[in-house]
Amino acid sequence: MPETVWTARRKWMGNVLPTLVSLPFLASGSALALVDGESVIVGGGIVTLGLLAGLVTLNKFGLYDNATMRAELRRKLGNPEGRFVGFARPGYRSLLDPHQDLGFFMVRAEELAFLGEALTVQLPRAAVVRIGKRANPHSWVGLGGWISIEAILEGRPVRMLIEPRDRPTLLGNKRVARTLRAELETWLAGGPGLFRDDRAGSL
């Protein structure tokens, strides 16, 4: 069996590195404020500095090994077209990472498709009713969020949640998401596909 690309270690590292950077500041600042009441302001400043350092580190290293995983998945999945994204079903929950699977998001003339390491999902254009955005843990700290693709299939509401991973930082991908969401709204309104790969046919 091919080795898994989206491993628990890679998920952990995206959380561990920001924690290691911020924890000393948080611990020392909190201790200073608790031990010496006159140092509450100084302690609070150290805690704030730790939070900021954690955010900066999360932005830079939250997508740990991202470029390597993109290259590995391109080879593993047969060099597909499209944007590299994180994907999740609406019911997915994880303490490690909001992305259930990693893969490539393709916009074709008559469908949206996600081809991932573990999951393959297609939504016919006629079924898509709305392009929106939804919160995930990245948006709680202002560094990202889902593009929500909502559809009706066989009378039931379904949702595809994606978040771009094309850039090395979370903020860079947040800007990509804003552009992609606008382009998808244009596509839904009748514009052309953005990353058409008619060679691949249906997934």
Side-chain angles (χ1 to χ4, degrees):
M1 292 291 291
E3 185 177 349
T4 299
V5 172
W6 188 216
T7 61
R9 181 185 69 83
R10 281 167 161 164
K11 296 175 186 179
W12 270 110
M13 290 300 291
N15 296 298
V16 168
L17 292 175
T19 301
L20 290 177
V21 169
S22 61
L23 191 58
F25 293 93
L26 300 179
S28 60
S30 299
L32 183 62
L34 290 172
V35 171
D36 183 357
E38 295 181 357
S39 300
V40 171
I41 294 178
V42 175
I46 294 174
V47 168
T48 301
L49 183 61
L51 293 174
L52 290 174
L55 282 176
V56 170
T57 309
L58 178 62
N59 177 51
K60 186 171 179 60
F61 296 107
L63 301 178
Y64 177 81
D65 238 2
N66 193 58
T68 300
M69 288 190 290
R70 177 174 56 196
E72 289 177 356
L73 281 172
R74 279 207 185 276
R75 290 193 297 269
K76 186 175 183 178
L77 299 175
N79 197 33
E81 301 291 327
R83 289 191 186 273
F84 187 47
V85 301
F87 170 93
R89 291 174 169 142
Y92 178 74
R93 300 290 183 273
S94 173
L95 295 176
L96 291 182
D97 198 283
H99 298 164
Q100 181 179 6
D101 195 12
L102 304 185
F104 298 92
F105 177 67
M106 292 160 278
V107 181
R108 297 169 177 157
E110 296 302 329
E111 71 173 3
L112 302 177
F114 170 77
L115 175 61
E117 182 175 30
L119 301 168
T120 297
V121 177
Q122 294 168 265
L123 286 179
R125 183 179 192 144
V128 179
V129 296
R130 181 176 178 271
I131 306 295
K133 58 182 179 178
R134 289 180 178 268
N136 67 20
H138 295 154
S139 52
W140 299 346
V141 291
L143 295 177
W146 293 121
I147 296 174
S148 177
I149 302 164
E150 300 175 17
I152 303 293
L153 278 177
E154 299 179 353
R156 295 186 300 110
V158 297
R159 186 183 307 137
M160 179 190 293
L161 298 172
I162 62 168
E163 184 171 21
R165 296 182 64 120
D166 274 339
R167 300 289 185 267
T169 66
L170 288 168
L171 276 178
N173 285 299
K174 183 178 180 179
R175 290 189 286 270
V176 172
R178 189 181 304 119
T179 300
L180 177 57
R181 192 170 63 249
E183 291 172 340
L184 285 170
E185 289 169 350
T186 299
W187 172 87
L188 182 59
L194 306 172
F195 310 107
R196 290 188 59 187
D197 182 18
D198 291 335
R199 296 170 303 164
S202 297
L203 293 175

